[in-house]
Amino acid sequence: MKKALILLITFIFNSILLISSDNSLQDKSMFPLLGDEARERGYELPNPYGINIIYVDMKQDVDIKEINLTGTIGKLDIGKSLNLNADKAKTVNTNKLVKADIWIFPFLNVYGVLGKTKGHSTANVNGTFFLPPIFPNGKPIPIPIKDVDFTLRYEGTTYGFGTVLAGGYNNFFSLVDFNYTNTTLNIIEGDISAFVVSPKVGYNFDFYNTKNSIWIGTMYQNITQTLKGDINTLGILPPGINVKNGKFEVKESTSSPWNNVIGFRSEINKSVEFTTEVGFGKRKSVTLSLGYRF
């Protein structure tokens, strides 16, 4: 799927560059379909092809659904001897993306994204570590683990696709953005997948020879992430304890799927546009985008 998406984005980029290099081709572009009919009805349409450079910074809480441990200390099975409890983790993610898009119809845009994600997840852990009994037939010795903060740092390649459904009346507009992304981690094992739905309503206005838009809306984001690695690197074991073949697996998902957003877009000219959007509530985010349309 990743290779197919990269090929799709490459094809879109090459098509955009070809069209932008020839004004006659640009004037005869078949996209958006039904574009002439929409213009005859008084709608002003954006150029059909776009490239955007996007920066996203996001902070939110996630629920820890599952912690799995494997490995041995001598003959001791660490999965049975180490009991950890953690309900929530705080995550911070930074995304640097390139997006390529096409308006297929005046009301339908499709796009692909490719880029890098870097972040960390921090959780407060409590639990008990059971040492083997000192005497035969004795009981395991419990060692409490209290309020230990550990942080998993990760980065990886993000890829995905999405679509936008849009409509408007006079200067008012509404749209719904659907997208799915997956991040393959390359520092620790695992991946992060995210499904996002974002409905918005807004208003278009002119200001000093620029065309601008403001909007408000909500964002639903369902994120699941699986983080894996060496248990000896977590810093939660007593000093001098080393786990042979020790591995951990932590499964997390979004704590609060909904938050509110407010955004602004300005067309510097018909081709260049700048967009910013701020998310607030239990999930906080800042998105900056610089785009070029053909």
Side-chain angles (χ1 to χ4, degrees):
M1 181 177 179
K2 179 180 176 181
K3 292 182 178 179
L5 182 66
I6 294 174
L7 290 175
L8 173 61
I9 294 178
T10 301
F11 171 76
I12 293 173
F13 281 0
N14 289 337
S15 300
I16 291 172
L17 292 175
L18 175 63
I19 292 170
S20 64
S21 65
D22 189 333
N23 289 333
S24 63
L25 288 177
Q26 190 173 6
D27 294 338
K28 296 177 182 178
S29 173
M30 64 180 293
F31 295 110
L33 302 175
L34 304 179
D36 291 339
E37 290 83 346
R39 294 184 187 94
E40 290 175 359
R41 296 185 178 184
Y43 291 100
E44 185 173 354
L45 304 180
N47 290 331
Y49 309 92
I51 299 177
N52 286 264
I53 299 173
I54 303 172
Y55 172 87
V56 182
D57 186 83
M58 183 175 296
K59 300 177 182 179
Q60 66 179 330
D61 290 342
V62 296
D63 293 331
I64 298 179
K65 297 296 185 180
E66 189 175 339
I67 300 177
N68 296 315
L69 306 172
T70 58
T72 58
I73 302 175
K75 296 182 179 181
L76 190 67
D77 185 339
I78 193 65
K80 297 178 180 178
S81 301
L82 183 58
N83 181 21
L84 299 180
N85 299 308
D87 295 328
K88 292 185 181 294
K90 296 183 180 295
T91 64
V92 178
N93 287 330
T94 298
N95 300 278
K96 299 175 182 178
L97 306 168
V98 175
K99 182 178 82 170
D101 73 276
I102 297 178
W103 283 99
I104 302 296
F105 293 99
F107 55 85
L108 176 64
N109 180 279
V110 296
Y111 61 86
V113 295
L114 180 66
K116 290 288 186 180
T117 293
K118 187 174 183 179
H120 61 267
S121 175
T122 301
N124 182 265
V125 175
N126 293 276
T128 305
F129 179 66
F130 294 94
L131 287 175
I134 298 176
F135 302 103
N137 301 321
K139 294 183 179 181
I141 303 171
I143 298 178
I145 299 172
K146 295 183 179 180
D147 296 326
V148 176
D149 288 332
F150 76 93
T151 299
L152 300 176
R153 300 185 183 277
Y154 49 83
E155 65 180 64
T157 301
T158 297
Y159 55 94
F161 58 90
T163 184
V164 177
L165 294 174
Y169 178 75
N170 292 331
N171 288 330
F172 293 92
F173 67 90
S174 63
L175 61 86
V176 183
D177 188 342
F178 304 85
N179 69 74
Y180 173 84
T181 60
N182 189 79
T183 301
T184 302
L185 303 179
N186 52 26
I187 286 186
I188 65 175
E189 300 176 40
D191 59 9
I192 302 172
S193 61
F195 174 68
V196 177
V197 180
S198 185
K200 306 166 187 176
V201 293
Y203 182 78
N204 297 316
F205 63 96
D206 295 339
F207 183 74
Y208 282 98
N209 298 321
T210 63
K211 294 185 178 298
N212 306 278
S213 304
I214 58 173
W215 62 84
I216 59 173
T218 61
M219 178 186 293
Y220 170 84
Q221 187 176 78
N222 184 8
I223 294 179
T224 59
Q225 56 190 44
T226 302
L227 308 176
K228 305 176 184 178
D230 187 344
I231 194 173
N232 296 295
T233 65
L234 296 182
I236 60 174
L237 296 175
I241 300 296
N242 185 73
V243 182
K244 183 180 180 181
N245 298 321
K247 298 292 183 180
F248 70 86
E249 180 183 73
V250 180
K251 297 182 179 181
E252 303 174 339
S253 64
T254 311
S255 294
S256 302
W258 287 99
N259 73 319
N260 301 311
V261 297
I262 183 169
F264 171 79
R265 180 181 65 89
S266 180
E267 291 184 9
I268 300 173
N269 54 46
K270 187 67 175 176
S271 296
V272 180
E273 60 185 21
F274 173 78
T275 302
T276 180
E277 185 174 87
V278 177
F280 53 97
K282 293 186 177 180
R283 176 172 54 246
K284 297 174 175 58
S285 63
V286 176
T287 301
L288 303 174
S289 174
L290 181 63
Y292 189 79
R293 306 208 65 82
F294 303 91

